[in-house]
Amino acid sequence: MNLDSIKPLHDYVLIEPIEQETTLPSGLVLTEAAKEKPQRGIIIAAGSGKTNENGVVKKLAVQKGDEVYYKKWGGNEIKIENKNYLLMREEDIIALIQK
């Protein structure tokens, strides 16, 4: 399976987490056990949107290429081509990072 073969459905998005720095400003290096789970990532693919009770599809507020902050424990981890990604609902995204 490759990354281009994944198309999230409805209001799901596929996110590539951005790993945090492992060295503190003081020069201390964090071990794997001390590292926080990433909360920032780039949207790799997005679904078409969420269908409301009237059958109308509401487009997502985010799109492929957007950099976002998401809930710390949101989403489902999946592995594609030996790399970890998150598949989560748009409601688990808490902020869009403006550049």
Side-chain angles (χ1 to χ4, degrees):
M1 172 180 6
N2 70 27
L3 199 54
D4 293 330
S5 67
I6 304 296
K7 174 65 177 152
L9 299 175
H10 309 294
D11 62 334
Y12 279 90
V13 295
L14 182 66
I15 295 179
E16 180 179 356
I18 298 172
E19 294 294 328
Q20 303 297 325
E21 285 291 318
T22 56
T23 305
L24 298 175
S26 63
L28 291 175
V29 177
L30 296 177
T31 64
E32 279 299 312
K35 284 170 56 174
E36 288 280 328
K37 184 174 177 181
Q39 290 180 265
R40 188 173 176 176
I42 297 174
I43 296 181
I44 302 300
S48 58
K50 189 171 186 171
T51 305
N52 67 18
E53 55 274 342
N54 298 331
V56 177
V57 177
K58 180 184 176 231
K59 274 185 70 175
L60 301 179
V62 295
Q63 60 187 347
K64 181 178 178 176
D66 284 347
E67 192 170 332
V68 295
Y69 280 109
Y70 50 86
K71 292 179 182 176
K72 190 170 193 170
W73 304 110
N76 297 297
E77 291 183 2
I78 59 173
K79 190 171 240 173
I80 304 168
E81 298 175 338
N82 292 323
K83 195 168 183 183
N84 291 324
Y85 294 89
L86 288 171
L87 192 59
M88 67 176 55
R89 289 193 178 272
E90 182 189 33
E91 67 189 27
D92 289 332
I93 296 172
I94 54 177
L96 181 61
I97 300 170
Q98 304 271 326
K99 294 184 179 178

